[in-house]
Short mmCIF file of all heavy atoms in Angstrom, two decimals:
data_model
loop_
_atom_site.label_atom_id
_atom_site.label_comp_id
_atom_site.label_asym_id
_atom_site.label_seq_id
_atom_site.Cartn_x
_atom_site.Cartn_y
_atom_site.Cartn_z
N ARG K 84 -17.45 49.15 -51.14
CA ARG K 84 -16.14 48.35 -51.40
C ARG K 84 -15.51 48.63 -52.64
O ARG K 84 -16.22 49.05 -53.57
CB ARG K 84 -16.53 46.85 -51.08
CG ARG K 84 -17.09 46.57 -49.72
CD ARG K 84 -17.24 45.02 -49.63
NE ARG K 84 -17.73 44.70 -48.30
CZ ARG K 84 -18.16 43.48 -47.96
NH1 ARG K 84 -18.36 42.59 -48.85
NH2 ARG K 84 -18.52 43.23 -46.75
N ALA K 85 -14.28 48.11 -52.75
CA ALA K 85 -13.63 48.33 -53.95
C ALA K 85 -14.36 47.61 -55.15
O ALA K 85 -14.18 48.07 -56.31
CB ALA K 85 -12.14 47.77 -53.87
N THR K 86 -15.10 46.57 -54.86
CA THR K 86 -15.77 45.91 -55.89
C THR K 86 -16.94 46.68 -56.45
O THR K 86 -17.64 46.24 -57.25
CB THR K 86 -16.19 44.51 -55.42
OG1 THR K 86 -17.04 44.71 -54.17
CG2 THR K 86 -15.06 43.61 -54.99
N GLY K 87 -17.26 47.71 -55.69
CA GLY K 87 -18.60 48.45 -55.96
C GLY K 87 -19.72 47.99 -55.05
O GLY K 87 -20.80 48.57 -55.20
N ASP K 88 -19.61 46.94 -54.40
CA ASP K 88 -20.65 46.42 -53.55
C ASP K 88 -20.95 47.37 -52.36
O ASP K 88 -20.11 47.94 -51.72
CB ASP K 88 -20.11 45.12 -52.89
CG ASP K 88 -21.10 44.37 -52.06
OD1 ASP K 88 -22.24 44.53 -52.33
OD2 ASP K 88 -20.71 43.66 -51.12
N VAL K 89 -22.15 47.85 -52.31
CA VAL K 89 -22.70 48.81 -51.21
C VAL K 89 -23.17 47.98 -50.15
O VAL K 89 -24.07 47.05 -50.31
CB VAL K 89 -23.62 49.83 -51.76
CG1 VAL K 89 -24.12 50.74 -50.61
CG2 VAL K 89 -23.10 50.55 -52.95
N ARG K 90 -22.78 48.35 -48.76
CA ARG K 90 -23.08 47.55 -47.63
C ARG K 90 -23.61 48.67 -46.60
O ARG K 90 -23.02 49.72 -46.64
CB ARG K 90 -22.15 46.72 -47.06
CG ARG K 90 -21.40 45.87 -47.92
CD ARG K 90 -22.14 44.74 -48.54
NE ARG K 90 -22.62 43.76 -47.43
CZ ARG K 90 -23.48 42.72 -47.67
NH1 ARG K 90 -23.98 42.58 -48.79
NH2 ARG K 90 -23.77 41.96 -46.58
N TRP K 91 -24.59 48.20 -45.80
CA TRP K 91 -25.04 49.08 -44.75
C TRP K 91 -24.31 48.69 -43.38
O TRP K 91 -24.22 47.58 -43.12
CB TRP K 91 -26.57 49.01 -44.49
CG TRP K 91 -27.37 49.68 -45.52
CD1 TRP K 91 -27.81 49.34 -46.65
CD2 TRP K 91 -27.66 51.12 -45.48
NE1 TRP K 91 -28.49 50.25 -47.34
CE2 TRP K 91 -28.44 51.38 -46.51
CE3 TRP K 91 -27.45 52.11 -44.60
CZ2 TRP K 91 -28.97 52.69 -46.81
CZ3 TRP K 91 -28.00 53.40 -44.77
CH2 TRP K 91 -28.70 53.72 -45.87
N ILE K 92 -23.85 49.69 -42.67
CA ILE K 92 -23.00 49.49 -41.58
C ILE K 92 -23.67 50.14 -40.36
O ILE K 92 -24.13 51.36 -40.37
CB ILE K 92 -21.55 50.02 -41.64
CG1 ILE K 92 -20.96 49.43 -42.85
CG2 ILE K 92 -20.78 49.86 -40.30
CD1 ILE K 92 -20.70 47.91 -42.79
N ASP K 93 -23.89 49.52 -39.18
CA ASP K 93 -24.30 50.14 -38.00
C ASP K 93 -22.94 50.32 -37.16
O ASP K 93 -22.05 49.39 -36.98
CB ASP K 93 -25.19 49.24 -36.98
CG ASP K 93 -26.61 49.52 -37.40
OD1 ASP K 93 -26.91 50.37 -38.22
OD2 ASP K 93 -27.49 48.94 -36.81
N VAL K 94 -22.70 51.49 -36.53
CA VAL K 94 -21.60 51.76 -35.79
C VAL K 94 -21.98 52.03 -34.35
O VAL K 94 -22.96 52.82 -34.12
CB VAL K 94 -20.86 53.03 -36.41
CG1 VAL K 94 -19.49 53.22 -35.57
CG2 VAL K 94 -20.41 52.75 -37.89
N HIS K 95 -21.34 51.38 -33.37
CA HIS K 95 -21.44 51.59 -32.09
C HIS K 95 -20.21 51.84 -31.40
O HIS K 95 -19.23 51.13 -31.54
CB HIS K 95 -22.08 50.37 -31.29
CG HIS K 95 -23.45 49.93 -31.91
ND1 HIS K 95 -24.60 50.32 -31.30
CD2 HIS K 95 -23.69 49.14 -32.99
CE1 HIS K 95 -25.62 49.85 -32.09
NE2 HIS K 95 -25.10 49.13 -33.03
N GLY K 96 -20.01 53.08 -30.72
CA GLY K 96 -18.73 53.34 -30.16
C GLY K 96 -19.00 54.05 -28.80
O GLY K 96 -20.01 54.54 -28.51
N ASP K 97 -17.90 54.15 -28.02
CA ASP K 97 -17.90 54.80 -26.84
C ASP K 97 -16.59 55.57 -26.59
O ASP K 97 -15.53 55.28 -27.18
CB ASP K 97 -17.94 53.89 -25.61
CG ASP K 97 -18.44 54.45 -24.30
OD1 ASP K 97 -19.02 55.52 -24.45
OD2 ASP K 97 -18.36 53.84 -23.33
N VAL K 98 -16.75 56.74 -25.99
CA VAL K 98 -15.56 57.63 -25.81
C VAL K 98 -15.02 57.40 -24.35
O VAL K 98 -15.79 57.37 -23.36
CB VAL K 98 -16.06 59.08 -25.96
CG1 VAL K 98 -14.87 60.15 -25.69
CG2 VAL K 98 -16.67 59.29 -27.35
N VAL K 99 -13.75 57.29 -24.26
CA VAL K 99 -12.99 57.24 -23.03
C VAL K 99 -12.44 58.62 -22.73
O VAL K 99 -11.82 59.15 -23.54
CB VAL K 99 -11.95 56.10 -23.07
CG1 VAL K 99 -11.18 56.02 -21.72
CG2 VAL K 99 -12.48 54.71 -23.35
N ARG K 100 -12.69 59.06 -21.52
CA ARG K 100 -12.13 60.46 -21.16
C ARG K 100 -11.24 60.26 -20.04
O ARG K 100 -11.31 59.44 -19.25
CB ARG K 100 -13.34 61.29 -20.84
CG ARG K 100 -14.24 61.40 -22.00
CD ARG K 100 -15.51 62.36 -21.74
NE ARG K 100 -16.29 62.42 -22.92
CZ ARG K 100 -16.06 63.18 -23.91
NH1 ARG K 100 -15.10 63.96 -23.89
NH2 ARG K 100 -17.04 63.14 -25.02
N ASP K 101 -10.32 61.30 -19.89
CA ASP K 101 -9.46 61.47 -18.81
C ASP K 101 -10.17 61.98 -17.54
O ASP K 101 -11.35 62.43 -17.68
CB ASP K 101 -8.11 62.10 -19.10
CG ASP K 101 -8.27 63.52 -19.44
OD1 ASP K 101 -9.29 64.15 -19.10
OD2 ASP K 101 -7.32 64.18 -20.06
N GLU K 102 -9.54 62.30 -16.53
CA GLU K 102 -10.17 62.80 -15.33
C GLU K 102 -10.56 64.28 -15.42
O GLU K 102 -11.52 64.64 -14.83
CB GLU K 102 -9.13 62.87 -14.13
CG GLU K 102 -7.78 63.48 -14.27
CD GLU K 102 -6.73 62.68 -15.11
OE1 GLU K 102 -6.98 61.41 -15.32
OE2 GLU K 102 -5.85 63.28 -15.72
N SER K 103 -10.02 65.05 -16.47
CA SER K 103 -10.49 66.36 -16.68
C SER K 103 -11.72 66.39 -17.66
O SER K 103 -12.32 67.36 -17.95
CB SER K 103 -9.44 67.17 -17.18
OG SER K 103 -9.14 66.81 -18.58
N GLY K 104 -12.05 65.09 -18.21
CA GLY K 104 -13.20 65.05 -19.13
C GLY K 104 -12.77 65.13 -20.60
O GLY K 104 -13.69 65.11 -21.49
N ALA K 105 -11.56 65.21 -20.86
CA ALA K 105 -11.03 65.36 -22.29
C ALA K 105 -11.09 63.96 -22.92
O ALA K 105 -10.65 62.96 -22.35
CB ALA K 105 -9.69 65.91 -22.27
N ALA K 106 -11.53 63.95 -24.13
CA ALA K 106 -11.63 62.57 -24.82
C ALA K 106 -10.13 62.19 -25.14
O ALA K 106 -9.38 62.84 -25.79
CB ALA K 106 -12.48 62.72 -26.03
N THR K 107 -10.01 60.87 -24.80
CA THR K 107 -8.60 60.34 -25.05
C THR K 107 -8.68 59.02 -26.06
O THR K 107 -7.66 58.87 -26.72
CB THR K 107 -7.90 59.83 -23.78
OG1 THR K 107 -8.81 58.73 -23.15
CG2 THR K 107 -7.84 60.97 -22.79
N ARG K 108 -9.80 58.43 -26.06
CA ARG K 108 -9.94 57.29 -26.92
C ARG K 108 -11.40 57.07 -27.29
O ARG K 108 -12.21 57.40 -26.52
CB ARG K 108 -9.39 56.13 -26.16
CG ARG K 108 -9.53 54.84 -26.73
CD ARG K 108 -8.84 53.65 -26.02
NE ARG K 108 -7.75 53.12 -26.76
CZ ARG K 108 -6.43 53.49 -26.83
NH1 ARG K 108 -6.00 54.27 -25.89
NH2 ARG K 108 -5.57 52.93 -27.68
N MET K 109 -11.58 56.44 -28.44
CA MET K 109 -12.93 56.06 -28.90
C MET K 109 -12.73 54.69 -29.51
O MET K 109 -11.90 54.43 -30.31
CB MET K 109 -13.47 57.03 -29.97
CG MET K 109 -14.87 56.66 -30.35
SD MET K 109 -15.67 57.86 -31.66
CE MET K 109 -16.23 59.10 -30.65
N THR K 110 -13.57 53.73 -29.09
CA THR K 110 -13.49 52.37 -29.55
C THR K 110 -14.93 51.86 -29.84
O THR K 110 -15.95 52.49 -29.28
CB THR K 110 -12.92 51.39 -28.42
OG1 THR K 110 -13.79 51.58 -27.12
CG2 THR K 110 -11.57 51.79 -28.03
N GLY K 111 -14.92 50.96 -30.66
CA GLY K 111 -16.28 50.41 -30.90
C GLY K 111 -16.45 49.43 -31.95
O GLY K 111 -15.31 48.68 -32.35
N LEU K 112 -17.58 49.13 -32.52
CA LEU K 112 -17.80 47.99 -33.46
C LEU K 112 -18.48 48.62 -34.70
O LEU K 112 -19.33 49.52 -34.57
CB LEU K 112 -18.64 46.93 -32.82
CG LEU K 112 -18.14 45.99 -31.99
CD1 LEU K 112 -19.29 45.13 -31.36
CD2 LEU K 112 -17.09 45.09 -32.51
N CYS K 113 -18.15 48.07 -35.79
CA CYS K 113 -18.95 48.20 -37.08
C CYS K 113 -19.63 46.96 -37.39
O CYS K 113 -18.90 45.86 -37.34
CB CYS K 113 -17.97 48.73 -38.26
SG CYS K 113 -17.36 50.27 -38.08
N ILE K 114 -20.95 46.95 -37.59
CA ILE K 114 -21.68 45.82 -37.84
C ILE K 114 -22.39 45.78 -39.22
O ILE K 114 -23.02 46.80 -39.42
CB ILE K 114 -22.71 45.48 -36.77
CG1 ILE K 114 -22.00 45.48 -35.38
CG2 ILE K 114 -23.51 44.13 -36.92
CD1 ILE K 114 -22.90 45.64 -34.21
N ASP K 115 -22.14 44.82 -40.02
CA ASP K 115 -22.85 44.75 -41.28
C ASP K 115 -24.26 44.48 -41.27
O ASP K 115 -24.69 43.36 -40.70
CB ASP K 115 -22.18 43.71 -42.32
CG ASP K 115 -22.70 43.82 -43.64
OD1 ASP K 115 -23.92 44.22 -43.87
OD2 ASP K 115 -21.92 43.41 -44.60
N VAL K 116 -25.19 45.42 -41.56
CA VAL K 116 -26.59 45.33 -41.32
C VAL K 116 -27.40 45.36 -42.61
O VAL K 116 -28.60 45.58 -42.57
CB VAL K 116 -27.15 46.31 -40.24
CG1 VAL K 116 -26.71 46.07 -38.82
CG2 VAL K 116 -26.97 47.68 -40.79
N THR K 117 -26.66 45.01 -43.61
CA THR K 117 -27.23 45.13 -45.10
C THR K 117 -28.35 44.25 -45.13
O THR K 117 -29.53 44.69 -45.73
CB THR K 117 -26.18 44.72 -46.15
OG1 THR K 117 -24.98 45.61 -45.95
CG2 THR K 117 -26.73 44.87 -47.44
N ASP K 118 -28.37 42.84 -44.77
CA ASP K 118 -29.54 42.06 -44.83
C ASP K 118 -30.65 42.57 -44.02
O ASP K 118 -31.75 42.57 -44.47
CB ASP K 118 -29.18 40.67 -44.45
CG ASP K 118 -28.21 40.00 -45.36
OD1 ASP K 118 -28.07 40.47 -46.47
OD2 ASP K 118 -27.49 38.92 -44.85
N ARG K 119 -30.47 43.06 -42.87
CA ARG K 119 -31.55 43.73 -42.01
C ARG K 119 -32.09 44.88 -42.67
O ARG K 119 -33.36 45.01 -42.66
CB ARG K 119 -30.98 44.12 -40.65
CG ARG K 119 -32.03 44.58 -39.72
CD ARG K 119 -31.45 45.12 -38.38
NE ARG K 119 -30.43 44.34 -37.89
CZ ARG K 119 -29.46 44.59 -36.92
NH1 ARG K 119 -29.60 45.82 -36.46
NH2 ARG K 119 -28.64 43.80 -36.46
#
Side-chain angles (χ1 to χ4, degrees):
R84 295 179 177 174
T86 61
D88 183 31
V89 176
R90 309 294 295 174
W91 282 95
I92 304 296
D93 270 2
V94 181
H95 301 269
D97 201 15
V98 180
V99 177
R100 299 180 182 280
D101 64 17
E102 56 282 345
S103 71
T107 60
R108 173 173 244 102
M109 186 183 273
T110 59
L112 285 173
C113 290
I114 305 164
D115 186 332
V116 293
T117 305
D118 293 342
R119 182 184 319 160

